[in-house]
Amino acid sequence: MYSLDINFLQDRSPEEVGAEKIAQSINLQEYIPVGIGLGVGLIFPVLVFLSLWIIEGQNNSLRQKIATLTQEEKQLDGKIGDINKIRTETAAVKEQNQALVTVFDRIRPWSAMLFDLRNRVPANVQVENIKQIPPELPSRSRSRGTQQNTNEEEGSIPSGVIEISGYARSFSDVNDFLLSMAESKLLDSSASRITSAELVDAPPITGAIPPKSKSKIKPTQVVKYTIKADLSQVPASELLSELEKKGTVGLVNRIRSLQKTGALPE
């Protein structure tokens, strides 16, 4: 049998083969938009990743700063607590010192009181007894909201009371003694009063000689009196000249020293 061996490539001309190769070559310009698209598509994820990375770094830095500030805040709170504690203790010490200093301003020396009263006793009046009655303190059972007395509201110095008892020749002599006491700067003239006065037989302490039991002579009668007077509420620092006249040099020097240091007002 005969077979046909036909070679079509050999039958084609060189010009046709070259044209076909040129037609089959890749045109790169057609793929430029695709490359641009791919590049743009990759840029955005990269930018997003970089942004997230930068933000995360900033967040970590902020967390560290917050932790540092929180620790510093705790330290400052501790220091503020210590400062407040010191202030409280300082205020308590100042209050105690002021209370201690005020004691000197509230002192009424008995030497000055007796010196003053000695010069005010009339000739016909005899003093038998002098005693001091301390001021009444507010009851602890009172509630804090209860209104205190006028002296405490005004911050004045609580005053005590002196009680003088003895004998006088007449009621007028007792009145003269009361008026003389009212002139004292160490006493409160508005709170001096006669609490009792009565005629009694003169006791031997007055110097009277009692009649004999069978004698018809009546015994001499005198007035037995009791006078109460409140101590002056004026601070001792305002009575320095008066106290100095009465010989109270020690207290006067202490008060003047406290005034120089500023503990007491001048």
Side-chain angles (χ1 to χ4, degrees), residues 188-210:
D188 186 358
S189 59
S190 62
S192 300
R193 65 275 186 195
I194 299 173
T195 58
S196 66
E198 58 179 347
L199 284 172
V200 297
D201 294 339
I205 194 174
T206 62
I209 301 175

Side-chain angles (χ1 to χ4, degrees), residues 216-237:
K216 295 182 180 180
I217 300 174
K218 293 183 179 180
T220 305
Q221 287 192 319
V222 293
V223 177
K224 184 179 182 180
Y225 69 89
T226 300
I227 296 176
K228 287 185 178 181
D230 290 359
L231 298 179
S232 174
Q233 297 179 4
V234 179
S237 57

Side-chain angles (χ1 to χ4, degrees), residues 4-257:
L4 295 176
D5 187 9
I6 301 173
N7 188 353
F8 293 99
L9 294 177
Q10 294 179 357
D11 295 337
R12 297 173 63 183
S13 62
E15 291 80 4
E16 291 178 354
V17 175
E20 185 177 357
K21 288 182 179 181
I22 293 173
Q24 291 179 355
S25 63
I26 298 173
N27 189 359
L28 295 177
Q29 293 180 353
E30 294 179 357
Y31 294 97
I32 290 175
V34 177
I36 294 174
L38 290 174
V40 173
L42 291 174
I43 287 174
F44 283 108
V46 172
L47 292 176
V48 171
F49 175 78
L50 290 175
S51 300
L52 292 175
W53 181 74
I54 293 172
I55 292 173
E56 184 64 23
Q58 292 177 348
N59 288 338
N60 291 332
S61 178
L62 290 175
R63 290 191 191 98
Q64 292 178 355
K65 290 182 179 179
I66 291 172
T68 303
L69 292 175
T70 302
Q71 185 176 2
E72 291 178 356
E73 182 183 6
K74 291 180 179 179
Q75 294 176 353
L76 290 175
D77 289 340
K79 292 180 180 179
I80 291 173
D82 294 338
I83 292 173
N84 291 333
K85 183 178 179 180
I86 293 173
R87 286 179 177 175
T88 303
E89 293 176 352
T90 303
V93 171
K94 286 183 178 179
E95 185 177 355
Q96 292 175 358
N97 291 339
Q98 187 61 36
L100 182 61
V101 168
T102 307
V103 170
F104 292 99
D105 215 13
R106 295 182 179 181
I107 291 176
R108 293 292 184 271
W110 268 104
S111 59
M113 295 293 300
L114 293 176
F115 184 90
D116 186 64
L117 288 173
R118 184 187 64 182
N119 295 332
R120 298 185 184 281
V121 179
N124 296 325
V125 175
Q126 184 180 27
V127 176
E128 181 183 18
N129 187 29
I130 300 177
K131 67 178 180 178
Q132 183 179 7
I133 302 174
E136 294 183 1
L137 298 178
S139 175
R140 293 183 179 180
S141 60
R142 294 181 183 178
S143 61
R144 293 183 180 179
T146 304
Q147 183 178 9
Q148 303 296 332
N149 56 40
T150 305
N151 290 342
E152 291 175 343
E153 288 178 355
E154 295 178 354
S156 59
I157 299 174
S159 61
V161 178
I162 62 170
E163 183 180 88
I164 304 173
S165 59
Y167 299 93
R169 180 169 294 182
S170 64
F171 290 104
S172 61
D173 291 331
V174 177
N175 289 330
D176 291 342
F177 188 23
L178 179 65
L179 294 175
S180 178
M181 290 176 60
E183 296 176 357
S184 173
K185 294 182 180 180
L186 301 179
L187 301 175
D188 186 358
S189 59
S190 62
S192 300
R193 65 275 186 195
I194 299 173
T195 58
S196 66
E198 58 179 347
L199 284 172
V200 297
D201 294 339
I205 194 174
T206 62
I209 301 175
K212 295 181 180 180
S213 58
K214 295 182 179 181
S215 175
K216 295 182 180 180
I217 300 174
K218 293 183 179 180
T220 305
Q221 287 192 319
V222 293
V223 177
K224 184 179 182 180
Y225 69 89
T226 300
I227 296 176
K228 287 185 178 181
D230 290 359
L231 298 179
S232 174
Q233 297 179 4
V234 179
S237 57
E238 299 180 16
L239 299 172
L240 292 182
S241 60
E242 187 71 17
L243 294 174
E244 197 168 16
K245 291 178 183 178
K246 303 297 187 293
T248 314
V249 180
L251 178 61
V252 171
N253 291 336
R254 289 189 186 94
I255 291 177
R256 285 178 176 168
S257 298

